Amino acid sequence: MKRNNQIILLVATIAVVAVIGAYLANSTASSAQETDSEEITVSAAASLTESYREIVKQFEADNPDIKVNLNLASSGSLRMQIEGGAPIDAFASASQKHMDILDTKDMIDADSRRDFARNSLVMIVPAGTNQIENLEDLGSEEVTKIALGNPETAPVGRYAKQGLEEAGLWQAIEGKTIFAGNVKQVLVYVERGEVDAGFVYMTDAQTSESDKIRIVGEVPVDANISYPVAILADSEAKEASRKFIDFVTGPEGKRILEEYGFKVE
């Protein structure tokens, strides 16, 4: 009986040692994986919020060794962050203008720059509003508040101002305008009924619940609303950033962008 107990104890000891060994091996492998992982920071225009969150999720699933930190704001604000020295690896803008400014300052890797999506501008009003059916209705005395992005920093605001100028309406409604930091803020103002009308991208209007806003129609603008992306010249993770851009412009990235209403080549 004593011998049997010794054998049982020996077997149990071996089993415990095996379990501990496996645990340590897994911990070591996990630590090595964490050590080998790389992080990149991607600054993207606010209008890319939903699509880029999905893109990042899928990209990280395909590239477990790369973690993406997503920084979202108006394109102009992001550009100024980059100019101020923010440690950004890749920049996706809703405007060629802000990317061009960085390019002239040699702050992007010009060879990595690619156009990856297009959008359109629409006018929206709170659901149930019937007094606005076209741009000309904005001049009515009943319309007192019109939201658009700040034309200096938010491309959607610059496009809206341009469209209103081309329609000969800017001077008449300028005093009614309320500037927002980005397109998402404009959408919120309209959804809450805090303004009579607002100008957003079609993709943003489509993210809103149908009982909150109504799309009046597309606003003609003599401009190509296209989105460029590029690696920053000072990035210390250029290879990982290039993989991310390849994903955005590849089949899966295009599929996701189209799913969120963007037009892709």
Side-chain angles (χ1 to χ4, degrees):
M1 179 66 71
K2 182 177 180 180
R3 180 176 177 78
N4 288 340
N5 289 341
Q6 288 176 336
I7 292 174
I8 292 172
L9 179 61
L10 178 60
V11 171
T13 302
I14 292 173
V16 170
V17 170
V19 170
I20 293 174
Y23 173 79
L24 292 174
N26 289 335
S27 297
T28 301
S30 177
S31 297
Q33 187 174 5
E34 289 177 3
T35 301
D36 293 340
S37 65
E38 189 170 13
E39 290 192 17
I40 61 172
T41 299
V42 176
S43 285
S47 55
L48 293 166
T49 297
E50 293 81 10
S51 60
Y52 258 48
R53 282 176 177 165
E54 180 66 21
I55 283 175
V56 167
K57 179 181 177 181
Q58 294 299 324
F59 174 79
E60 289 181 336
D62 290 352
N63 300 271
D65 57 330
I66 302 176
K67 174 176 173 53
V68 180
N69 299 312
L70 193 57
N71 178 35
L72 299 159
S74 67
S75 298
S77 297
L78 295 174
R79 187 206 83 219
M80 289 186 282
Q81 289 176 13
I82 293 168
E83 291 172 327
I88 307 301
D89 296 295
F91 174 42
S93 173
S95 163
Q96 298 291 340
K97 171 187 173 182
H98 294 294
M99 191 69 79
D100 289 342
I101 291 173
L102 293 178
D103 192 10
T104 59
K105 296 181 178 181
D106 296 323
M107 299 187 76
I108 65 168
D109 179 350
D111 291 337
S112 71
R113 180 173 177 173
R114 301 188 207 175
D115 292 346
F116 65 93
R118 290 177 289 112
N119 216 332
S120 57
L121 182 72
V122 296
M123 180 169 66
I124 59 174
V125 296
T129 299
N130 298 315
Q131 62 187 18
I132 300 175
E133 296 297 336
N134 52 56
L135 286 176
E136 287 71 21
D137 288 341
L138 296 178
S140 167
E141 293 182 357
E142 296 178 353
V143 177
T144 59
K145 296 178 181 178
I146 303 167
L148 62 149
N150 187 332
E152 295 300 318
T153 56
V156 68
R158 182 163 54 84
Y159 294 132
K161 180 181 178 181
Q162 181 178 338
L164 289 164
E165 287 176 336
E166 291 171 2
L169 297 170
W170 177 251
Q171 289 186 338
I173 62 95
E174 184 177 4
K176 304 178 181 182
T177 57
I178 295 175
F179 288 166
N182 58 58
V183 67
K184 295 300 183 185
Q185 290 181 6
V186 175
L187 184 61
V188 169
Y189 288 159
V190 178
E191 287 179 333
R192 292 177 178 174
E194 296 175 358
V195 296
D196 300 305
F199 293 88
V200 300
Y201 294 121
M202 176 64 83
T203 52
D204 293 287
Q206 291 174 345
T207 66
S208 180
E209 297 176 15
S210 59
D211 62 340
K212 290 185 178 181
I213 69 163
R214 176 171 63 88
I215 300 174
V216 176
E218 189 169 328
V219 180
V221 182
D222 186 18
N224 182 21
I225 303 178
S226 59
Y227 291 65
V229 62
I231 299 171
L232 275 297
D234 291 339
S235 170
E236 295 182 357
K238 284 189 168 62
E239 186 57 34
S241 299
R242 195 174 302 280
K243 286 183 179 180
F244 180 78
I245 291 179
D246 286 343
F247 184 88
V248 171
T249 57
E252 186 65 8
K254 287 181 178 180
R255 181 193 68 76
I256 293 171
L257 288 164
E258 286 182 326
E259 184 179 310
Y260 283 93
F262 290 93
K263 300 172 185 177
V264 298
E265 298 298 334

